[in-house]
Amino acid sequence: MPLAITESADLSALNSFGVAARARRLITLTDEADAPEAIDQLQSAPASLLLGAGSNLLFTRDVDGTVLKVSLAGRRVLDAIDGGRLGNAQVLVEAAAGEPWHDFVLWTLAQGLSGLENLALIPGSVGAAPVQNIGAYGVELSEHLHSVRALSLDDGRPCEFAAADCGLGYRDSRFRSSAGPSRWLILSVRFALSRKPRPRLHYPDLQTAFPPTAPPPSPLDIAHAVCAIRRRKLPNPAELGNAGSFFRNPVVDAIHAARLTANHPGLPVYRDPATPQLAKLPAGWLIEQCGWKGARRGDAGVHTQHALVLVNYGRARGSDIAALAADIQASVIERFGVRLEPEVVFV
Ligand SMILES: Cc1cc2nc3c(=O)[nH]c(=O)nc-3n(C[C@H](O)[C@H](O)[C@H](O)COP(=O)(O)OP(=O)(O)OC[C@H]3O[C@@H](n4cnc5c(N)ncnc54)[C@H](O)[C@@H]3O)c2cc1C
């Protein structure tokens, strides 16, 4: 089958901000056998981009090159493989990169497998999940990632990365290079899940939903609670364009954090016992203190309930949202001496 190619493609429905942008060429990859040919096409284009569901991207202008939309489908349980090393209660599952993340999570729960329930309703595709090591409600993908199968964008070479080789960190991985776009096309991802649930309820919203005195919830109960909390708290991109948290929570050295809390006693500080010399600060709190919550400039704005979520009220351009983000960064530096790094990928 020839590759599905669209010239001068409209990308506005392919990004959750809903901003207008076009690509010189859009290739939709639905069959893994076509991946080498798709990579050839990317190599011959001056600028190229891998696209999942577009829920963590900001198009600041048109793409003068090729966009490869990864729409590979398929998921399966691989019980027997690796069973010895993982132990009896652990099960390997695999999903193709284009599978919608939330559907995949629900499917794992329907197989009686737990581990991903706290990550329910995160928008996007399976293939992008390792790219920024998605996380929510006290769980990160890294805790359940087994391996990633990918092709090199440089020479088409296949590679399987064990989780330990994926460079996973807080909203970070080797597939999200700060030096430039990732050089790997992720084809499929494997997860190590469990038949014995281990509820992770330490996150405050989940403690409220499931008080310690109540019987332990099932993984599906937890997923439903997470969905309800997310629907209550986060704007739905289908109704209000956004890409979730726009910035990462900044990590500063402990001395800087101590100075900040002396001047701003209300500042929440998160410490990890494993790295006592560092402290994580809530980006949303810093932005809110600078007066940005609910701010609006034309159709680009800061959500009224969440200072960390930038929104498109309708016709904002990506460059409008980027300019707003730059002004937010400048005021947080001026007031707190802290640089906010975008979580969203600028294109
Ligand atoms: C309302 C909302 C809530 C959100 N909440 C959370 C949250 O709680 N936690 C969280 O971590 N994130 C959250 N996000 C961000 C987003 O859902 C995740 O980053 C998600 O993994 C992005 O998936 P995607 O398919 O949309 O990726 P895209 O936005 O399409 O791409 C993101 C990056 O991954 C690369 N990429 C995509 N597919 C591939 C592939 N197959 N191979 C190699 N590289 C690829 C792209 O080139 C790009 O650099 C939220 C977003 C929204 C809109």
Side-chain angles (χ1 to χ4, degrees):
M1 273 252 294
L3 281 172
I5 299 179
T6 312
E7 305 290 342
S8 184
D10 182 1
L11 301 174
S12 51
L14 299 181
N15 73 96
S16 64
F17 264 118
V19 297
R22 301 196 84 80
R24 185 180 282 267
R25 177 174 256 218
L26 173 71
I27 301 178
T28 306
L29 182 66
T30 52
D31 185 344
E32 196 181 304
D34 295 332
E37 191 190 337
I39 288 178
D40 282 349
Q41 298 265 355
L42 288 185
Q43 283 168 340
S44 58
S48 63
L49 169 76
L50 299 176
L51 181 65
S55 62
N56 205 33
L57 291 171
L58 179 63
F59 289 111
T60 56
R61 54 186 142 87
D62 291 341
V63 181
D64 189 20
T66 300
V67 171
L68 179 64
K69 170 140 177 65
V70 184
S71 299
L72 300 170
R75 48 202 180 193
R76 58 189 176 133
V77 177
L78 302 162
D79 295 78
I81 298 180
D82 243 2
R85 191 169 66 79
L86 291 169
N88 288 339
Q90 295 266 294
V91 174
L92 270 188
V93 298
E94 181 178 63
E99 287 284 325
W101 174 259
H102 176 62
D103 294 357
F104 169 66
V105 171
L106 293 183
W107 175 81
T108 62
L109 296 172
Q111 309 304 308
L113 299 172
S114 63
L116 303 179
E117 54 274 14
N118 294 48
L119 304 178
L121 210 61
I122 295 181
S125 60
V126 165
V131 173
Q132 74 151 1
N133 183 22
I134 57 169
Y137 297 94
V139 172
E140 278 193 341
L141 182 91
S142 53
E143 295 168 50
H144 299 285
L145 184 71
H146 175 268
S147 54
V148 170
R149 214 161 49 80
L151 294 180
S152 162
L153 292 182
D154 294 323
D155 54 17
R157 167 173 51 101
C159 192
E160 187 166 332
F161 297 99
D165 298 326
C166 290
L168 300 172
Y170 166 59
R171 300 297 171 274
D172 204 14
S173 76
R174 70 177 302 155
F175 308 109
R176 192 193 152 116
S177 159
S178 52
S182 167
R183 302 309 305 158
W184 295 96
L185 162 60
I186 295 174
L187 297 171
S188 66
V189 185
R190 286 184 178 183
F191 302 85
L193 303 178
S194 180
R195 292 219 182 271
K196 287 191 191 146
R198 273 197 311 129
R200 300 285 298 280
L201 303 173
H202 58 286
Y203 204 84
D205 283 333
L206 290 175
Q207 284 185 3
T208 311
F210 303 109
T213 46
S218 72
L220 194 58
D221 292 337
I222 297 172
H224 286 156
V226 165
C227 291
I229 296 164
R230 294 185 72 98
R231 288 199 177 101
R232 205 168 56 235
K233 290 197 152 184
L234 286 168
N236 178 352
E239 290 158 13
L240 184 61
N242 77 92
S245 302
F246 197 91
F247 298 103
R248 295 173 177 155
N249 290 321
V251 177
V252 299
D253 68 62
I255 297 166
H256 188 172
R259 255 199 326 266
L260 284 172
T261 41
N263 292 331
H264 308 276
L267 171 65
V269 175
Y270 308 119
R271 289 197 174 80
D272 180 350
T275 50
Q277 72 284 13
L278 298 174
K280 197 190 272 180
L281 310 175
W285 190 92
L286 301 173
I287 297 169
E288 190 173 341
Q289 293 300 307
C290 293
W292 285 104
K293 190 168 167 183
R296 183 166 175 172
R297 257 194 219 158
D299 271 355
V302 180
H303 193 255
T304 50
Q305 306 298 317
H306 280 282
L308 196 47
V309 178
L310 304 197
V311 295
N312 175 10
Y313 282 104
R315 292 175 161 260
R317 290 170 302 179
S319 56
D320 300 331
I321 295 168
L324 180 62
D327 287 349
I328 291 171
Q329 283 172 311
S331 58
V332 170
I333 287 187
E334 193 183 317
R335 175 120 190 243
F336 298 104
V338 173
R339 178 161 175 81
L340 295 182
E341 296 296 342
E343 181 178 314
V344 165
V345 177
F346 282 57
V347 182

